[in-house]
Amino acid sequence: MKLLSTLRAFFDERLGLEAVRALARKKRVPNHGCSHFYYLGGMALFLFLVQIVTGILLSLYYKPSPDQAFESVRAIMTEVEFGWLIRSAHSWSANLLIGVLFLHLLTTYMMRAYRRPREMTWISGVLLLGLFMAFGFSGYLLPWNELAFFATRVGTAIVGVIPFIGDHLLLLARGGEDVTGDTLARFYSLHIVVLPLVTFGILGLHLFLVQKHGMSVPVLTAADGEHRTPSIPFVPHFLLRDMVGWYLALALLAALSALFPWELGTKADPFASAPAGIKPEWYFLFMFQTLKILPARLGPFEGEVCGVLFFGLCGLVVLLVPFLDRGGKSRMVLNVLAALAVAFFIFMTAWSWFSGPGQGVRQIMLGTLLVAVVLFLLIPFARAHSAARSAVYVCLAISVIAFLSASGWELMR
Amino acid sequence: MTTAYRRLIATCQYFLGVLAILVTRVTFGQTVDLPADYSCSLCHRKQGELWNENTPLTDESNMAGDIHWQKGLRCHDCHGGAPTLDKFKNHRDDPEFRSVRLRTSIPGFCGHCHSSIETMRRFAPSARTDQEAEYWTSGHGRRLRASSRDDESRVDKAVATCVDCHGGHGILAVNNVKAPVYPTNVAQTCARCHANQTIMANRTFNDQPLGHDQFDQWRRGVHGRALLEKGDLSAATCNDCHGNHGAMPPGVDSVANACGTCHGKIANLFAETRMKHKFQEARLPGCATCHGTHETIQPSDELLGMEGTSICARCHNPQNPQYGATVAGEAAARAMRDRLEQLKDQIAQSEALVRAAERLGMEIRGPRFDLRQATDALTNARTLVHSFKPGPLEATLGEGLKVTDQVQAAARAAMREHTSRRVWLAASLVPILMVVALLLIYIRTLTPPSAVEPGEPGSAGH
């Protein structure tokens, strides 16, 4: 015991741990009907840590060259002890992370947590979402399998349609005219060096701002004044609840890895024709499907160019939400746009995910399931016993019934 | 001819020579080192000073690519005569001059060098020197000799000699892809005459009409498609079965030998069968009876057995047996086909299992490699079909089936391993959810926080 006290005194003197302990004792977190959404940030952070650990382990064996990439991933899955688990965890946690970040963004918007003085927290969060999507895009190519290769070819080709700079960006992204070993080297470097460095910087800023400004309280709850909102101590009350979120994320990760193990696929053959059903990761499907259905020309402009510019504009609007929300009509316009964006995302994702013929029932299943999830998230934001809450319940019930009906129909077919 | 006139001619020839060198260099990038007073160019080129309408011309544009030219041989090396003006004699007065005006003299003209071991040793030591002798034994050679009967005016001008296939001036090396005797061009070269209805009309061999559709048949056949469409130079073309310089239709008895040049193992198996003797008795050409002659059909397993398009059923038909075909042969054909199908089916199943395991990222490279042995066994079995006995086939197919059993067992083990991973991963949910439950219980036991802590609501740190 004496040794422990000595060590504590040693580190206290040098690292100022007492100040940290004091902060932990003093820190409190608002406790209200929407406070469960706070845990999404913690889950995202936990999944990011899983990404780092599994990514480091994978990098010990991965070889970023067209001749060896696929073989090295196969070796990871077949020869390295628990390599299959590490790869599956890395792939699934990446997808879960993006999913959690989408929900985090959505609930943050619903809570209007971007209000002054948290504009920079919002902007850094949106940038982080963009960075993690870039992580996903760059990591998708690395196993150098057939699906990844052709999806990357399609994905990078979209960059080429950006007016004026598209050709240069395409050349920069691919390192040549086509997806080759140079592209693989660039994506690998981006995935394990450039993006992590930028992410650490912005994530640090994001966490600092969360710490500086504290958790935002939703408008409804804070109507009587933010400082009168009930709160709980950060340690241990909030920390333990946050840990429950981490464990639930871990459980979801294990369940997904068990139910849908990440496959190795077939080695990419750059000279082969693209196989049918090439798709990007699920979080790019809404963009992919939109660009796919756009006509070649929209008036005097190329369809693809319009699509890319549209999504660029959407991204800019999301980034600038704190400044566009001036209250009153502007807020109403933003809410309508947000609802349309979510509906568009769900519709296009469901359409693209099950894009083959005779897949309509499955499209309805996925679409209604996602709508139900969003409506479920909306419940705390409608006042109890109000018409809005009733409307949410009715819509939720319709979605669930539609989902169950479609599922039953699909099972009976 | 005065001295001044001779000098003038020599000067003109010099400039013509320089011009020819320049033109050839520009056109072909080759060096032509004709001496300025080279006698042949005086008459046999249009620019030649002594050329007239009756003098045969030489197309010099082809010469630079000519294999003889490239080896350093010039006109006089083949045609004889004096190469320089000073020693030039009229051809009629020059005993050294070798004429090619008579078609019957062409083989001997080429054979002057190509039949000479000493000469060929200098230029192409591994080249054969019996082509001329072979030629005279060929259908072409015999017909040429028979038609002339010492009277050149009666000679059959449609009969091929050396120059008809190889060309006259501008003869390309046989390994030059543009040469008319390069494997991919041989059939077209033969077809110039043999696909010509006019030339081939009324021509017979051993009292059988020669026909004129062999080229079209060959082109549609497995060999023609392999050579012309896939560029497979090992695929048989005319000369591979009929011979080159000694070209002759193989007789009924020697068809199997012709095919056996490439398909040696099959020919050996066939040679030991009763069917071969039956074919000989019935005067049926060995392999060609089942597989076709020029339009050789694509071999497939469907040719074997008694159903559908099978060839065995043609003769082993129980209702109408041909050439003494037996019921035992019918049973053998059925048995062989069934066993082949069994191995094919097992290989397909093994392949599907291995591919599924591969997609899942399971270690399956060993069984994948072993599966080749089963494919090899199938190939061997298809060859052994030509023994027309199920016995030899059985052993080979048995080896293949043993391999497929092992591969399938390994693939299924890999799939089970994959399933077991998933089960254990799912089982890990239990401790995780237990921790969650314990945490929730512990959280409930914590002292309820005070409802409001004024002044410090939003300082949570994450």
Side-chain angles (χ1 to χ4, degrees):
Chain A
M1 292 303 285
K2 194 181 173 188
L3 179 67
L4 276 177
S5 316
T6 313
L7 277 174
R8 181 182 289 179
F10 177 86
F11 285 113
D12 269 354
E13 187 182 352
R14 282 152 187 85
L15 300 176
L17 294 180
E18 183 51 39
V20 178
R21 276 198 296 274
L23 185 66
R25 277 197 298 271
K26 188 176 148 195
K27 192 182 302 293
R28 298 185 71 83
V29 180
N31 190 24
H32 48 78
C34 301
S35 55
H36 288 89
F37 296 139
Y38 293 151
Y39 306 128
L40 287 170
M43 286 168 83
L45 196 60
F46 168 76
L47 288 166
F48 180 52
L49 291 176
V50 173
Q51 285 281 284
I52 294 171
V53 174
T54 53
I56 289 171
L57 291 174
L58 289 175
S59 71
L60 298 179
Y61 295 97
Y62 178 74
K63 297 180 180 72
S65 80
D67 297 334
Q68 293 177 296
F70 182 82
E71 281 73 12
S72 64
V73 175
R74 180 167 61 193
I76 287 169
M77 293 185 73
T78 57
E79 292 170 24
V80 178
E81 205 72 33
F82 291 106
W84 57 272
L85 180 61
I86 301 295
R87 187 186 171 227
S88 214
H90 190 73
S91 305
W92 270 118
S93 58
N95 281 274
L96 275 179
L97 175 56
I98 303 273
V100 168
L101 284 176
F102 272 135
L103 292 179
H104 190 38
L105 180 87
L106 194 62
T107 52
T108 307
Y109 176 80
M110 289 171 177
M111 291 192 285
R112 294 193 41 244
Y114 52 78
R115 303 188 312 278
R116 189 182 169 201
R118 298 185 178 85
E119 295 93 333
M120 294 307 292
T121 317
W122 169 270
I123 289 174
S124 59
V126 173
L127 290 177
L128 282 173
L129 175 63
L131 281 168
F132 283 115
M133 287 173 83
F135 263 116
F137 186 68
S138 56
Y140 197 49
L141 177 69
L142 301 188
W144 201 250
N145 59 29
E146 199 177 51
L147 197 64
F149 178 84
F150 287 104
T152 305
R153 186 184 268 177
V154 174
T156 48
I158 292 170
V159 177
V161 303
I162 298 172
F164 308 117
I165 54 168
D167 291 340
H168 299 288
L169 280 181
L170 182 67
L171 206 61
L172 186 70
R174 287 183 174 174
E177 294 291 322
D178 203 350
V179 176
T180 60
D182 292 337
T183 320
L184 183 63
R186 281 170 191 233
F187 274 41
Y188 182 64
S189 161
L190 195 70
H191 193 74
I192 70 154
V193 179
V194 181
L195 290 175
L197 280 176
V198 179
T199 302
F200 281 130
I202 297 181
L203 183 61
L205 174 70
H206 189 75
L207 293 178
F208 168 74
L209 291 173
V210 170
Q211 161 63 26
K212 178 176 168 54
H213 299 303
M215 299 294 200
S216 168
V217 178
V219 181
L220 276 176
T221 311
D224 299 330
E226 195 163 307
H227 292 278
R228 296 178 62 82
T229 306
S231 64
I232 54 172
F234 182 77
V235 180
H237 292 71
F238 185 84
L239 190 61
L240 286 173
R241 286 172 168 81
D242 217 10
M243 280 175 70
V244 171
W246 301 353
Y247 274 100
L248 286 176
L250 186 66
L252 195 56
L253 188 59
L256 285 170
S257 300
L259 282 174
F260 311 105
W262 212 266
E263 291 188 0
L264 178 65
T266 312
K267 187 175 180 177
D269 177 4
F271 300 108
S273 53
I278 287 295
K279 279 179 201 164
E281 290 279 47
W282 64 269
Y283 38 88
F284 291 119
L285 282 180
F286 71 103
M287 287 194 264
F288 174 72
Q289 185 65 22
T290 309
L291 293 174
K292 206 164 98 175
I293 59 167
L294 275 176
R297 295 202 75 80
L298 284 172
F301 306 105
E302 279 187 40
E304 270 197 341
V305 175
C306 294
V308 170
L309 291 178
F310 169 72
F311 286 118
L313 186 68
C314 289
L316 195 64
V317 169
V318 173
L319 196 68
L320 298 178
V321 156
F323 307 103
L324 297 174
D325 183 358
R326 317 292 296 173
K329 278 188 179 176
S330 66
R331 184 171 301 163
M332 194 176 290
V333 171
L334 276 178
N335 285 342
V336 169
L337 285 178
L340 286 175
V342 171
F344 178 78
F345 178 88
I346 290 173
F347 181 76
M348 285 297 178
T349 303
W351 185 4
S352 182
W353 192 300
F354 298 110
S355 55
Q359 301 269 313
V361 179
R362 292 183 180 186
Q363 288 169 351
I364 292 171
M365 278 171 65
L366 181 60
T368 48
L369 181 67
L370 292 175
V371 168
V373 170
V374 173
L375 288 171
F376 183 74
L377 294 177
L378 264 178
I379 292 173
F381 295 97
R383 284 183 194 280
H385 311 298
S386 66
R389 175 73 69 97
S390 303
V392 171
Y393 280 145
V394 169
C395 292
L396 184 59
I398 292 171
S399 304
V400 171
I401 289 168
F403 172 73
L404 292 175
S405 307
S407 305
W409 179 267
E410 183 65 18
L411 282 173
M412 282 191 294
R413 272 208 303 182
Chain B
M1 201 178 282
T2 61
T3 312
Y5 183 61
R6 277 177 181 270
R7 280 181 184 163
L8 179 65
I9 291 170
T11 310
C12 290
Q13 282 174 344
Y14 175 79
F15 284 112
L16 279 170
V18 171
L19 186 66
I21 290 166
L22 286 173
V23 168
T24 315
R25 274 188 182 175
V26 169
T27 313
F28 301 103
Q30 302 269 348
T31 303
V32 178
D33 51 352
L34 275 175
D37 60 344
Y38 197 66
S39 62
C40 305
S41 48
L42 193 66
C43 303
H44 293 288
R45 60 181 359 178
K46 233 172 185 174
Q47 302 92 330
E49 198 60 35
L50 298 180
W51 176 79
N52 63 48
E53 296 292 334
N54 298 322
T55 315
L57 278 170
T58 303
D59 183 4
E60 288 175 53
S61 62
N62 290 333
M63 292 305 288
D66 187 289
I67 181 64
H68 303 101
W69 194 268
Q70 287 173 352
K71 296 272 183 185
L73 299 173
R74 297 294 173 259
C75 314
H76 65 279
D77 291 307
C78 295
H79 292 277
T84 58
L85 284 172
D86 286 344
K87 296 177 184 171
F88 178 78
K89 290 180 192 171
N90 189 311
H91 294 331
R92 289 184 196 128
D93 306 328
D94 189 348
E96 298 295 318
F97 177 72
R98 291 188 291 279
S99 170
V100 283
R101 292 181 66 188
L102 306 178
R103 284 188 73 76
T104 48
S105 67
I106 291 173
F109 176 84
C110 299
H112 179 74
C113 294
H114 282 273
S115 297
S116 164
I117 295 171
E118 286 77 18
T119 307
M120 292 310 292
R121 192 179 286 142
R122 285 174 54 207
F123 297 101
S126 60
R128 290 174 61 173
T129 53
D130 58 351
Q131 291 109 321
E132 185 192 351
E134 265 200 320
Y135 174 79
W136 291 119
T137 67
S138 72
H140 297 130
R142 287 186 191 179
R143 196 175 290 265
L144 185 72
R145 184 165 274 165
S147 66
S148 68
R149 296 187 184 282
D150 302 328
D151 180 359
E152 190 65 25
S153 65
R154 293 171 55 196
V155 76
D156 185 347
K157 289 181 180 160
V159 172
T161 64
C162 315
V163 293
D164 295 300
C165 297
H166 292 278
H169 298 107
I171 296 172
L172 301 174
V174 291
N175 59 1
N176 186 321
V177 290
K178 291 181 180 172
V181 291
Y182 189 73
T184 49
N185 304 329
V186 164
Q188 283 94 328
T189 301
C190 298
R192 287 208 298 259
C193 299
H194 284 272
N196 186 319
Q197 197 169 357
T198 312
I199 293 175
M200 300 312 293
N202 302 321
R203 289 182 185 275
T204 59
F205 186 83
N206 284 349
D207 299 328
Q208 296 289 319
L210 278 173
H212 62 275
D213 57 352
Q214 297 94 332
F215 176 65
D216 282 337
Q217 287 183 14
W218 172 83
R219 195 161 48 179
R220 289 194 300 268
V222 64
H223 295 127
R225 279 187 282 124
L227 187 64
L228 300 179
E229 293 170 17
K230 297 179 188 170
D232 181 357
L233 297 183
S234 67
T237 183
C238 311
N239 63 315
D240 293 305
C241 300
H242 295 278
N244 298 317
H245 302 93
M248 183 82 96
V252 166
D253 297 338
S254 56
V255 165
N257 293 334
C259 300
T261 309
C262 299
H263 304 279
K265 191 173 178 183
I266 293 174
N268 289 341
L269 287 167
F270 180 71
E272 292 175 9
T273 60
R274 282 172 56 201
M275 198 179 289
K276 183 198 172 189
H277 301 295
K278 294 269 187 188
F279 279 14
Q280 278 178 338
E281 286 166 16
R283 302 300 298 158
L284 294 173
C287 314
T289 303
C290 299
H291 293 280
T293 46
H294 295 98
E295 190 174 352
T296 318
I297 52 176
Q298 176 76 41
S300 71
D301 296 333
E302 283 69 37
L303 302 185
L304 181 66
M306 297 299 293
E307 280 83 28
T309 54
S310 105
I311 287 176
C312 310
R314 288 185 199 164
C315 299
H316 290 276
N317 185 343
Q319 277 77 44
N320 183 23
Q322 302 288 316
Y323 309 112
T326 59
V327 178
E330 178 205 345
R334 284 187 196 281
M336 288 192 291
R337 174 73 189 275
D338 289 347
R339 294 291 281 158
L340 273 183
E341 291 300 328
Q342 189 185 354
L343 180 58
K344 275 165 64 182
D345 185 48
Q346 290 303 309
I347 288 175
Q349 283 185 31
S350 309
E351 177 66 36
L353 278 170
V354 166
R355 194 173 297 154
E358 277 175 343
R359 283 200 67 82
L360 295 173
M362 302 306 293
E363 174 57 63
I364 200 80
R365 278 173 290 177
R368 156 71 74 199
F369 185 79
D370 293 342
L371 193 56
R372 290 183 190 176
Q373 293 174 24
T375 314
D376 290 346
L378 182 64
T379 308
N380 282 337
R382 283 170 173 155
T383 303
L384 288 170
V385 163
H386 297 89
S387 68
F388 306 118
K389 292 176 197 158
L393 211 68
E394 197 60 39
T396 305
L397 289 172
E399 285 171 24
L401 288 168
K402 197 171 153 190
V403 172
T404 54
D405 285 348
Q406 289 167 353
V407 169
Q408 285 178 27
R412 287 202 179 95
M415 304 286 266
R416 277 198 300 277
E417 163 71 13
H418 186 256
T419 308
S420 123
R421 287 178 182 178
R422 295 175 66 187
V423 169
W424 281 109
L425 207 52
S428 72
L429 281 172
V430 175
I432 294 171
L433 292 176
M434 279 172 64
V435 172
V436 170
L438 289 171
L439 273 172
L440 289 174
I441 292 167
Y442 181 69
I443 288 167
R444 278 181 165 275
T445 61
L446 288 174
T447 319
S450 57
V452 181
E453 285 283 332
E456 292 291 338
S459 54
H462 97 100

